[in-house]
Each structure stands twice: as C-alpha cells, then as structure tokens.
Amino acid sequence: MITTPAPSHAAAARQWFLARADLDALIAGLRDSGRRVIGPTIREDAIVYDEIQSAADLPAGWHDEQSAGRYRLERRTDEQVFGYTVGPTSWKRFTFPPNLPIASAHRTGSFGFEQPTPDAPPVAFVGVRACEIAALEIQDRVFLGGQFTDEDFRARRASAFIVAVQCTTSSGTCFCTSMGTGPEVHGGYDILMTEIDGGFVVHAGSPEGAAIVAKLPTRRPSHAEAGAAVDRVESVRTQMGEPLPMAGIDERLKLQLDHPRWAVVADRCVECGNCTMACPTCFCTSVVEKSDMEGKRSTTDRQWDSCFDVAFAKVAGGDFRSRPRDRYRQWLTHKFSTWFDQFGSSGCVGCGRCITWCPVAIDVREELGVIAPPIAPVIRPVAVEPVAASPGSYSIARVAAVRPETEDTSTLTLTDVDPAFLAGRPGQFVMIALPAFPAVPISISRFRANGIDLTIRAVGPTSTALTNLHPGAKVGLRGPLGTFWPVEEAYGRHAVVVAGGVGLSPLHGLVDALVANHDRFESVSLFYGSRTPEDQLFRDDLDTWSASKAIDVAITVDRAGPEWKGRVGVVTGLFDMISWDCTKVTAFVVGPERMMQASVQGLISKGVPADRICVSMERHMECGIGLCGHCQMAGRFVCKDGPVFRLNELGDLFNREGI
Amino acid sequence: MATSGRTARPRVAVAKFASCDGCQLTLLDLEDELLEIVSRFDIVEFPEATSRRSPGPYDIVFVEGSVSAPEHIDQIKELRKQARILITIGACATAGGIQALRNWADHDAYRAAVYAHPEWIESLAKATPIAEHVKVDGELRGCPIDPGQLTELLTAVLVGRRPQIRDEAVCRECKRKGIVCLVVARGEACMGPVTTSGCNALCPSYDRGCYGCFGPRANANAKSWSTGLLRSGRPPEEVRRLFAGFTGYAEPFRSVITELGETKG
Ligand SMILES: Cc1cc2nc3c(=O)[nH]c(=O)nc-3n(C[C@H](O)[C@H](O)[C@H](O)COP(=O)(O)OP(=O)(O)OC[C@H]3O[C@@H](n4cnc5c(N)ncnc54)[C@H](O)[C@@H]3O)c2cc1C
Ligand code: SF4
Ligand code: SF4
Ligand code: SF4
Ligand code: SF4
Ligand code: SF4
Ligand code: FES
C-alpha cells in the first residue's frame, strides 16, 4: 500500500558486520558527529525512545509481549539488543512534538506577532522500524506534501539521521504485512542494521550513513551471516501469519457508514484518545493561548489533540460529531479510508500501538473485520442448522396464502415455520412434502418476518398437488438446505442478477437482499427474460423494483403480442446495456440450462471473472442432504455442495453434457 | 455594578462552605503571581488571609466547599445575589467532595462514627455541590485546584477572553508527557480515561494511578471504564472505591457507584 523508494546509493548494497560488543562505537560515532542520540531504552516498565548516552542504555536481552490493552516486558533467552517491536513512544514525538510554541504576540508599545525560527539541532534516531519509516513518510506527505507546510516539522525531519533496524520478531498487535509497510525496511534510512547472532549486518543508505559506517570496527559478513540476516526478517513475515484482507478497505468502509457496529464499539470506547496520541501518523493539534494578566504579551502553543475530544468538532451552536459513535467512526474511517483521499495512502502503517495502548482493548483489526468485512473468497457453508435433517422427518408448516403467478405457477406463503427457515439465506432450498407424495426440492423465493414463500411450477404430481393447496393446509418441510448466494462477495462491486423464466424464483430473495443493502454495492441490476409477458413471475415486485432507485431492471421476452411495449429478444441481448467495468461485476445467474450457458458465455466475454459468476444448478433430488446420490455432478452433490456454485468451482462441468 | 472597568480593581471574595481550605491555600501558594494578583484584584473577603469583612456586591466570588449544613443553603443563595461571577473551586464545591460519600450511607450512623457528639452536629443528610443550589458561572476542578488553572482563570477574567481550560481525559496529558500507561504496562488501576485534565497528569507522573480528583469529564463513558476495571479481575468493591473518591457524587461516577452497591456506613 505504501511504497518506499529503494535505497538510492550504490554503496548501500555493500554490507558490513558489526559485532554486538562494538555497538557502542556506533552510538559514540553518532554523538561524535554532533548528534543527540535518541534510541530505545527501558523506563517505567516499557521500552521507550529517549536520549541515550551509550549502548549500555539499550534494552539488550528484553522483549515486549503485546496484546490489545496489554504490554509487558519479558526477558529474552538471548542478548539481542533490538529483539522487541515498537513501544509506547513513536518518533513523531521528536519530529512533531506534543507541545510546541508556535507564536508569540505583544502589544506593549508596538503590536506584533513573532514566529519562532525552527530550532532543530542534529539528532540521530536509533532503532527505527519499517512501519515507523512508513509513518514518518506519511507525515512527510501530511506536513510537507501540500500547498501549506509545517516548517518546524521540515527542520526536525531534515536534521534526523535514521538508523533503521530490521524486525527479527513481531508482537501480537503488529500487522505491518497487512498494510504493506513491513517487516522489511526498503528505504528511508541512513544506516540499516539486521541483528543476527553475535552482531549486526550493517549497510549504509546515504553518504552520511556511509561516513559513519566507515569509522566503525567492521568486517565483511560471511556468506552465512548475510543469509541469516535475510532469514531473520523473512521469519517475521511467517510469524505474523496471513495478512488481513485490506484490499479495497477504503471503499469497503465508505459503504458502511451506517453500520450498527459503530454504536457497539462506541459503547466500549472511553474516548480517552490514547490511540490517536500513540499513533505515529495522527497529526491533529489545537492551540493553547497564554497571556500575562494585562493581555499584553501572549504565547501560542500547539498541542497534540484528538478527534475523540468532545470539543474537537464543535462549533458555536452545534457539534458535528456529537455522538461517541461519530467520533469513533471519524478515527477509524480517517485512518483506513479518507486518508487515501487526502494523502494518497492509508493513514495506518500497522504498528499496532492503538491496539496495545487502548485501555479497554479495542482492536482496530477486529472492528474492521466486522464493519467492513473482507470479500469472502469462497461460498460459505450452510449458515443455519437445518431442521428435520433426516430423510423421513419433517417439520410442519401451514399455508397462509396461495397466489397464482402464471398459468402453471403459484406462490405459497408458509407460516408457523420453524425459526431455522427464517434464518435461511437466499439461494437455499427446502424439501417439501405432502403425505403420500414424495418430497421435492423447492427454493425459498422470499423470506418474510414470520414465514417463507415458495414459488412452485406444476410440472408433475407433487408440484401440482402443492400448487393446488388452499390456505390452512399443512405441509412438511426439511431445511433450509444447500449453499446460498454469496451476497457479501459483491460488496463494493456491481451486482448483476440474470434470470430466465422461473429461474427468478431462487433469485427473488437475493434481489430483496441486494435492494435492502444497495448502498453496499457499486450498482445493482436485474436482467430478466421470459418466453412471453404472461410467463413473468412476480409482476408486482418487478414493477416495484423498476420504480426503485436501488436497482436497475431490464426486462425482455422471447415473443409478445403488439400490446407489449418492452424489449423482445433473448436475455443476453440486454447485456449491451452494461457500461461499467466488468472486472468489478459479480453476477448471479439462474434459468433454463441453455439460457444459463448463453448468459455465462456473454458475461465472460464482457470480462466478468469466472470466480465472480455464481450459478444455481438443478439436478434431480430425492433426499436433499447428500445421501441418496441422485444429484451428483461429477464429484459434487448439488444438494449439499450446491446448488449455488461459482463458475470456477464447476470448471468445465458447467457446459458439459451428460454429467 | 459598583466596580468594573479598567481602572477599578475587580472585587474578589472567597467564601467557604464545608471543606478543608486546601483550595484557598492554592491561591496563597501562587508565590510568583500573588503580588500581581493582589495588585490587580481587590480581595475583600478571604477567611484564610484576612479577617477583614466587607459586604457585597463582588465582581467574582470563589466558592470553596460543599453545601452540607442547613444554613449553607440560604448563605449560598445570598452570596449568589452579591456575585457578578460565581466560580466554584475544588472537588468539594464542584462535586460535593469527600463529604458527599455519606450520600450513600445511613446518615446518622455515618455521623455517629465521625463525630464524638453527633447530636451537636446539625448537618444535612447529603453533601451537595454548589451547582445544585445556585447557578455557577465557572468551575475549577481538583483537590486541590491547579494553580495554573487559577491564574489562567483570573487572567482570562481580566483580559476578557474565554479561559483556556479544556475538558479532555487525563490520559491526553499523560501521553503528551510521554508517561508509560500504568494500566497497559502494569495492570494498575487509573481513573485517567474518565477524568478531566487540568493537573497535567500529576499522579501518573509520580507513578501512581489517577484517583479522579478532577472529576468526570463531560460525557465520560464511566460505564465502560468500570466494566473494563471489573474485567481486569478487580472485585466490584475495589472498582466502586475507585469511583467513590472526591468526585464520586458527580455524574456519571455517581451512577457507577450506585450500581456497584451501597456503602456500608
Ligand atoms: C435446488 C432446487 C431448487 C428448486 N426450486 C424450485 C422452485 O423454486 N420452484 C419450482 O417450481 N421448482 C423448483 N425446482 C424443481 C422442482 O424440484 C421440480 O420441479 C419438482 O421436483 C418436480 O416434482 P414433481 O413430482 O412435481 O414432478 P416429477 O417430474 O414427477 O418428479 C418426480 C420426482 O423426481 C424428482 N424431480 C423431478 N424433477 C426434478 C427437478 N427438476 N429437480 C429436482 N428433482 C426433480 C423429485 O424427487 C420428484 O419427487 C428446484 C429444483 C432444485 C434441484
Ligand atoms: S479506541 Fe481505545 S484508546 Fe482510542 S479513544 Fe477509544 S478507548 Fe481510548
Ligand atoms: S492506526 Fe493504529 S496500527 Fe495504524 S499506524 Fe496508527 S497506531 Fe499504528
Ligand atoms: S484519526 Fe483523528 S486524531 Fe488521528 S489524524 Fe485522524 S482526525 Fe486526527
Ligand atoms: S496512566 Fe492513566 S492517565 Fe495515563 S494513559 Fe494510562 S490510563 Fe490514562
Ligand atoms: S491525576 Fe487524577 S487524581 Fe491525580 S491530580 Fe490529576 S486528576 Fe487528581
Ligand atoms: S486542518 Fe483544516 S483548519 Fe486545520
């Protein structure tokens, strides 16, 4: 996410070995060059950054155990000097001090304002990590990248000599690999050190760095030493595990401004602002005005402030962020979303400080996962435990209404259903039975507050008997069964629903879900084709959807009389209306087999990725739960591995005949 | 109004209710500024420094202490009439102070335990902050108050600007000072997250947790903080005690204390 320039000097590639016993030569060398040396040292039970006099001040043999809201120093089994991660201090304390006089004014005789000239004596930062360099570079963009600049920051930053250290361990709150900032240091340093057994592999990243290194008692590292240095850093990446799915996090968050979780996390947050104080990139400040009693001389100090402050967004007559949830949302969305708009990168480098130093242990990683969940890479298994899961057992439901859709198709509304059905997901189906009739699989076409709809076409005995039922009749149900439409997978994308004929039935619940959450998607559209206007299902719903701004609806029929004013032709003919970037489309397709194949072909040729096309397959089913063997499709049981599949899961099974 | 404007010195009175005098002493402790303050303000009523008594009206009345005895109620109402600006100072006046702890107790039993001859003491069943009885124009928090905030307030009154007294968590001062958080790094208890700043994180600077003497900040999420303290394994009685300090009677600390159980007198 954050790209740091590669070291620009050819000399940087040359490596040296500095024995641990000779580390003091580096500190002395930096001090001799006229620099105040700031580095890690143990104070108040933590490793903080402070002025150090010699290598003896460094935290050799210590490391830090960190988790949300907790930090403890522990003894290492070895004498590594930099075998910890990052502590409560960040380097911004020295480049962007917490309190800074920025102006003074007087009206004694004359009247004027004075600005202090930046006073930034040379300093060396020792032990700067990859994420910390990224943070300094983010603040470079904040303070120096725009039209107006912070000259005090510029002076302090320019006077800072950077001795970077590769991480050889990570803590429980580190997530630099997720933010693309570490663990490897790639640039932005004067000297880079990697700690291995007995010493450091060192190299210079600038002429100033090379001048310091030249005076150190070094030798060339052995092949093994150079290799060990690489392995140490590599092992940290492994230690940290799978990176969090951060792709598109800025957009994902923007879609979630009304997520209920904001209020939940705000209930826990005590708004202490510790996160923003500890964060190495947060840059907000306020001014504090002091004067003598006559008001003739005054000074203006700039102080770190925090958007968690109740007064932060107040104006006379109102408060733009009056609720705690507004303030928590400001923090999280600024770090991970709106920062991109302002400064072209994330405002988070994954250092984990805000997690460790939050006294109520709020973890931004967890909040992001809930508020802006990643795009699910696979269709998840059944969400709810189905009821009556053995072939002979049924849960009883009552028919509340029967609504004719077409000449041969009716929708049954069932009530008194087991709550498991209400918790089902669009795309799932039930096995429905009447005494004396074999059970048949029917998709749930709609979820209601206290029931479900099944839309059934009378094609044979059971389906005919079902469509002939009257309100009050009882039916037996098993389910909900099978996989469902991965709605979340389309968050932030164009959701395209393609339905043919009665295929709209298993898609109806999906369309409801898309419409209800339409702001989570880039766009929502439905392409619906049927043989004739009379074969259309859910005509009232089609009218409602057509009138809604939440979804674009395009309808076509194969043939129609002169009274039909709409499009005529196959559903794929509607695809020329697709104007958007098809790599950002997630499509959901159901219809007769031939129509599905043509639609999928059309979508693929427009550039929709195969893993973003979901289809629902139909096969003969008897049991619906993977026991009877009827529904097998090569290695898969359509009833339990499907019926919803992503195209790439099916591969060439999709088009193949005779499977 | 008798005195105001640039030439006449503002008349200042300091009044005392149930308190320890510590806050008034802060005024006397302002060694550097005291001379200037005395030269710029006409301090007419100040039990700690002078026995001189002069009647109102006053430009500024600083009120120390809580309303704890029946006669206090009329006194504070009369004082309010005499004051152009009424400022409460210290935990007693702003939050009821340590006396307010009896607000949860069986009052008679508490009095019997504290005083040798309880029957001689005429005291109210509750100790209450001044603002429960009269309108207050400003307050200085703390036990005792912070000398810097006092000078700032006096300066602001003279200059005619808004005093730069912020309402942020003690944690904010603590972090700016670079103190390592006692809660996170040691598992100690600290009221900093819910307490308003002003002391420059005095207690954490001396390696001990804040006990909340500046009182709750506006909209403090005391509920979450008490939950956090309980979750860290502290017994409810200990958490209740943390909130039941000098400012325990101020909301939302008061609700947490009530929720965690009654005091045993
Ligand atoms: C996952 C899934 C969801 C379905 N959703 C719907 C829906 O929402 N609305 C709807 O009208 N139809 C749906 N069907 C098709 C429906 O199951 C059949 O139309 C129905 O089984 C026909 O049964 P019948 O007894 O009326 O006809 P017959 O043809 O006599 O069927 C006899 C038996 O064969 C099996 N069978 C026959 N056709 C099918 C078929 N197409 N799919 C599975 N098994 C079959 C059944 O076990 C049935 O009991 C769905 C099918 C599947 C696999
Ligand atoms: S998230 Fe944590 S550290 Fe940040 S303000 Fe809330 S409670 Fe404080
Ligand atoms: S948001 Fe948190 S993890 Fe990210 S840079 Fe700031 S403190 Fe570090
Ligand atoms: S998160 Fe808050 S404090 Fe940090 S930079 Fe953004 S607005 Fe400022
Ligand atoms: S020590 Fe107390 S005041 Fe300081 S940051 Fe921690 S909780 Fe806040
Ligand atoms: S740290 Fe807390 S208890 Fe200590 S002086 Fe400040 S407000 Fe009072
Ligand atoms: S950032 Fe806009 S006023 Fe300061």
Side-chain angles (χ1 to χ4, degrees), chain A residues 390-609:
Chain A
S390 66
S393 83
Y394 289 94
S395 117
I396 307 301
R398 189 167 53 84
V399 176
V402 183
R403 228 181 8 267
E405 299 283 356
T406 66
E407 210 163 77
D408 59 6
T409 305
S410 295
T411 294
L412 307 188
T413 296
L414 304 181
T415 58
D416 298 339
V417 299
D418 189 281
F421 294 97
L422 304 180
R425 304 276 303 266
Q428 289 194 290
F429 66 95
V430 300
M431 294 299 290
I432 181 168
L434 290 171
F437 290 89
V440 295
I442 302 291
S443 302
I444 301 171
S445 58
R446 186 165 179 172
F447 293 86
R448 297 180 179 271
N450 53 358
I452 54 172
D453 282 5
L454 304 178
T455 302
I456 302 170
R457 185 167 174 205
V459 295
T462 309
S463 50
T464 304
L466 287 167
T467 51
N468 286 336
L469 290 174
H470 292 288
K474 301 233 163 110
V475 296
L477 293 179
R478 285 196 273 125
L481 298 169
T483 53
F484 46 83
W485 300 112
V487 179
E488 296 83 349
E489 197 172 330
Y491 284 172
R493 300 172 60 83
H494 300 281
V496 174
V497 179
V498 185
V502 292
L504 188 55
S505 164
L507 289 167
H508 187 295
L510 170 71
V511 172
D512 288 338
L514 296 175
V515 167
N517 299 292
H518 65 95
D519 55 358
R520 296 188 175 193
F521 305 94
E522 194 65 38
S523 71
V524 176
S525 41
L526 167 65
F527 298 102
Y528 182 37
S530 59
R531 268 180 304 154
T532 69
E534 291 70 40
D535 289 304
Q536 287 174 350
L537 298 184
F538 315 121
R539 260 171 280 175
D540 290 347
D541 294 323
L542 286 173
D543 289 342
T544 312
W545 293 334
S546 299
S548 156
K549 289 199 168 33
I551 182 168
D552 291 317
V553 180
I555 296 174
T556 186
V557 294
D558 292 351
R559 53 194 147 77
E563 72 286 4
W564 174 250
K565 299 278 175 290
R567 297 252 315 217
V568 177
V570 291
V571 72
T572 44
L574 299 172
F575 288 1
D576 53 29
M577 299 164 72
I578 298 179
S579 56
W580 48 78
D581 177 4
C582 280
T583 61
K584 289 201 173 153
V585 164
T586 297
F588 307 92
V589 186
V590 187
E593 197 124 356
R594 292 276 289 281
M595 168 269 170
M596 290 223 283
Q597 287 171 358
S599 299
V600 162
Q601 196 56 50
L603 291 168
I604 294 226
S605 66
K606 286 216 152 251
V608 182

Side-chain angles (χ1 to χ4, degrees), chain A residues 92 273 275-277 279 281-285 305-308 312 321 327 330-335 338-339 342-343:
Chain A
K92 82 173 179 185
C275 47
T276 57
M277 302 280 114
C279 177
T281 69
C282 273
F283 58 85
C284 289
T285 54
D305 202 350
S306 167
C307 55
F308 280 101
F312 194 81
R321 292 189 214 106
R327 298 188 282 268
Q330 165 60 23
W331 142 259
L332 201 72
T333 54
H334 191 208
K335 296 272 98 165
T338 52
W339 205 291
Q342 296 168 340
F343 307 112

